[in-house]
Amino acid sequence: MNERSWLHSRWILAIVTCMAVLYILIMGNLLFVSGRTPGVNYQYNLVPLETIKPLLFEKNRYHKEAWVKNLFGNIVLFIPLGIWIPWLFRRFQKFLPFTAIVVLLLLAVEITQLITRVGSFDVDDIILNTVGAWIGYIGFALFIYSQRRTRK
């Protein structure tokens, strides 16, 4: 059985699709429901790296939990996107189309947060989330590459 056939077999795709739907539900809850109420004093950030720079260069200003959550949480939580998008949608297996769809999805999430005033619109979230998706994408690409090499 070659890499294409088992990676895209009906059962594997069904499992991956179910995991992706579960991920979407969990992320929807985290981003829009869990402990979030529409804010009166809503804050947003349109300046790239404005929230990332202090987290990187003034680390001791933050509690460790807040630092880890804001910096690494925004990366780690989006690694699965980098795996599931190219796996489920072949047209996004190339890096540039993949990056474009990820940025559009993340922009849609941030704009929804801006309109609903739930969470906060932050361009730095888009940057960190995209980095997370890239990590997942690289992992998936390396996995596919290793599968191809072992089949030859």
Side-chain angles (χ1 to χ4, degrees):
M1 193 177 253
N2 67 26
E3 156 257 323
R4 272 263 191 243
S5 64
W6 78 265
L7 275 178
H8 293 97
S9 72
R10 186 174 297 179
W11 288 106
I12 295 294
L13 288 177
I15 291 168
V16 171
T17 301
C18 288
M19 290 173 58
V21 168
L22 181 61
Y23 171 80
I24 290 167
L25 292 172
I26 290 169
M27 292 305 290
N29 183 51
L30 280 172
L31 295 169
F32 298 107
V33 179
S34 181
R36 298 190 183 246
T37 55
V40 177
N41 297 323
Y42 185 79
Q43 296 181 350
Y44 58 89
N45 171 37
L46 301 174
V47 180
L49 304 178
E50 186 167 293
T51 56
I52 295 173
K53 273 197 259 182
L55 287 167
L56 291 175
F57 300 115
E58 301 168 27
K59 182 179 166 184
N60 43 343
R61 274 184 38 194
Y62 300 92
H63 289 107
K64 188 173 184 171
E65 181 182 326
W67 186 82
V68 168
K69 178 183 170 189
N70 287 316
L71 197 57
F72 292 104
N74 276 315
I75 294 172
V76 171
L77 287 175
F78 288 86
I79 290 174
L81 277 183
I83 298 166
W84 291 327
I85 289 175
W87 197 338
L88 294 173
F89 305 100
R90 290 184 184 167
R91 72 176 107 168
F92 300 118
Q93 288 183 348
K94 294 199 183 301
F95 186 74
L96 288 178
F98 167 78
T99 299
I101 195 65
V102 165
V103 170
L104 286 173
L105 286 169
L106 296 172
L107 187 59
V109 166
E110 294 295 322
I111 288 172
T112 303
Q113 288 182 328
L114 181 65
I115 292 168
T116 61
R117 295 182 176 262
V118 173
S120 64
F121 182 99
D122 190 340
V123 71
D124 286 349
D125 286 350
I126 295 172
I127 293 168
L128 292 171
N129 298 163
T130 301
V131 169
W134 283 343
I135 292 169
Y137 178 88
I138 291 167
F140 181 74
L142 289 173
F143 175 74
I144 294 298
Y145 176 75
S146 72
Q147 291 298 304
R148 288 180 183 156
R149 298 230 348 132
T150 58
R151 301 281 181 229
K152 289 183 178 183

